[in-house]
Amino acid sequence: MATMNVQGSGMGSPSFVSSSEQKKPFKLPLGYKLGTGAIAGIIGTSCIFPLDMIKTRLQSGQFTGPAHVVKTIMGTEGIGGFYKGLGANLVGVTPEKAIKLAANEYLREKLGEDEGPLPLHYEMLAGAGAGFVQCIATNPMEITKIRLQMQSMLPPDQRMGTMDVVKSLGLRGMYQGSEATLVRDVPFSLLFFPAYSNLKDLFANADGTNSKMSLLAAGCLAGGGAAGLNTPADVVKTRMQVAGGKERYGTMLNCFKTVFRDEGFMALYAGAVPRMCVVAPLFGIALLSFEKVKEIVIAREAAKAEQPVGPAPAPQSRSRRMNHAELASRSINEDAPPFRCSGAARPPPVAE
């Protein structure tokens, strides 16, 4: 049974609060969830964008290996070529990471995590739901990023900047290949979030807390593993979103069959290692930032809850509110001997 604690209500009557209510886990406000995910996404993406560029070029089917990509970019575009499309990507990553992390946390809470450990099938459901929701923000960013990263492969007179790419795609074109994005991101989130949660528990200290390195390791391992397993879906998505991809392949299933038939099974895992190297640190950084901000906010809220609850402080007395003139007047009067009346009339003053 839950015990009852008595606290002052500030009105003279006690209020009763059950211990079960007092110990209810604090839930991170939605604004913190969104903000933390966005900041972590920006930092992580900026760090690993060159690897993402190599991965995209490899999956286009026009290069023989990572070294070939690096040599070509350095020879034709210079160091700046590794960051082509970063601005457009950050615009998309900010809401994408914010939505993904916040949606997973929200769904886990709704599915009953505060009642005890969340069952694996609920963890998978929450992860899949988060992947589905974030695709709304991801697809326009993904197709714009891919088109920009492939500009150097076009003749100089056909190359376009970010705004030109966006205008050429239009609203409907921004969601071209959205089915492929769903096929990639929903299974990825379904694998990633349960893996991260269980790895975090596995790496926890004896008291149940996690060090920064254990959180980073859990995020990196879960992100890298999920990315590796899900690479065929990413290859299909990239082929569909490259300019002319939809006209060439038609459907995702036909794209999968064509790549498998013409290029072999391993072509479906083209860029798997660079993709894992991109996703692992990205999600390691994102989840580490997310967890540390959660700790800070929860500690702050716990400190607030420990403040004693009692009646409101009494209003300040008049003597505490006296100004300097009043205090000086009072001190002068206190120096004079007090007059005590014994009941008789006060004697008149003696004439000089």
Side-chain angles (χ1 to χ4, degrees):
M1 292 181 63
T3 59
M4 305 295 287
N5 292 338
V6 181
Q7 294 180 330
S9 63
M11 297 294 292
S13 59
S15 62
F16 295 89
V17 181
S18 68
S19 61
S20 60
E21 290 179 352
Q22 289 180 322
K23 296 179 181 178
K24 188 175 181 179
F26 172 75
K27 295 179 180 179
L28 194 70
L30 182 60
Y32 283 100
K33 295 174 184 174
L34 292 170
T36 304
I39 293 170
I42 290 171
I43 295 171
T45 300
S46 299
C47 293
I48 53 80
F49 197 76
L51 287 173
D52 188 58
M53 172 68 78
I54 296 170
K55 173 200 73 89
T56 300
R57 296 284 179 93
L58 279 173
Q59 291 179 340
S60 70
Q62 302 177 40
F63 296 90
T64 58
H68 186 202
V69 176
V70 173
K71 184 178 179 180
T72 302
I73 292 176
M74 289 298 295
T76 59
E77 304 169 65
I79 193 69
F82 289 101
Y83 290 92
K84 189 178 294 293
L86 176 60
N89 200 27
L90 289 178
V91 170
V93 160
T94 301
E96 183 253 321
K97 286 293 177 288
I99 291 170
K100 184 191 287 284
L101 294 175
N104 177 70
E105 188 85 358
Y106 176 81
L107 290 171
R108 289 177 73 94
E109 291 172 355
K110 289 299 181 182
L111 290 170
E113 188 177 37
D114 57 352
E115 301 294 332
L118 198 66
L120 180 60
H121 62 282
Y122 278 163
E123 290 185 328
M124 297 174 72
L125 181 60
F132 179 83
V133 172
Q134 64 85 182
C135 282
I136 298 171
T138 299
N139 206 81
M141 174 271 295
E142 282 280 350
I143 192 168
T144 303
K145 179 197 72 174
I146 289 171
R147 294 292 175 91
L148 286 170
Q149 289 179 335
M150 299 303 296
Q151 289 301 303
S152 65
M153 309 302 296
L154 301 173
D157 60 331
Q158 297 181 20
R159 296 175 186 176
M160 297 184 291
T162 302
M163 293 310 300
D164 293 327
V165 169
V166 172
K167 289 177 182 177
S168 68
L169 286 169
L171 183 60
R172 292 187 64 182
M174 295 287 280
Y175 283 91
Q176 179 180 318
S178 58
E179 301 90 348
T181 303
L182 284 168
V183 169
R184 181 197 66 176
D185 287 349
V186 172
F188 172 84
S189 297
L190 181 148
L191 293 169
F192 169 73
F193 283 109
Y196 169 74
S197 178
N198 286 277
L199 284 170
K200 188 178 91 168
D201 291 341
L202 180 65
F203 296 157
N205 300 322
D207 59 357
T209 60
N210 284 89
S211 66
K212 293 184 180 69
M213 286 305 300
S214 71
L215 293 172
L216 185 64
C220 288
L221 288 173
L229 291 172
N230 206 38
T231 297
D234 191 52
V235 170
V236 171
K237 180 199 73 66
T238 301
R239 296 290 182 96
M240 292 292 292
Q241 291 185 328
V242 168
K246 189 171 181 61
E247 293 75 17
R248 178 182 178 185
Y249 297 108
T251 65
M252 291 185 298
L253 182 59
N254 186 54
C255 178
F256 180 88
K257 290 179 178 179
T258 302
V259 173
F260 181 77
R261 183 188 67 239
D262 296 346
E263 304 175 50
F265 175 76
M266 291 309 297
L268 293 170
Y269 283 88
V273 174
R275 173 169 159 76
M276 293 170 70
C277 292
V278 167
V279 174
L282 176 59
F283 278 89
I285 294 169
L287 270 298
L288 171 60
S289 302
F290 191 74
E291 296 289 358
K292 299 315 291 183
V293 171
K294 276 177 64 176
E295 287 181 13
I296 293 169
V297 175
I298 291 171
R300 188 181 67 182
E301 294 299 319
K304 288 181 181 179
E306 290 175 1
Q307 294 295 326
V309 180
Q316 203 173 34
S317 64
R318 182 179 180 276
S319 63
R320 301 276 307 265
R321 299 196 303 269
M322 287 182 179
N323 57 33
H324 292 295
E326 290 175 316
L327 289 172
S329 175
R330 179 176 177 180
S331 64
I332 293 171
N333 292 334
E334 287 176 350
D335 290 340
F339 171 75
R340 289 186 174 84
C341 181
S342 61
R346 183 175 179 176
V350 179
E352 296 182 357

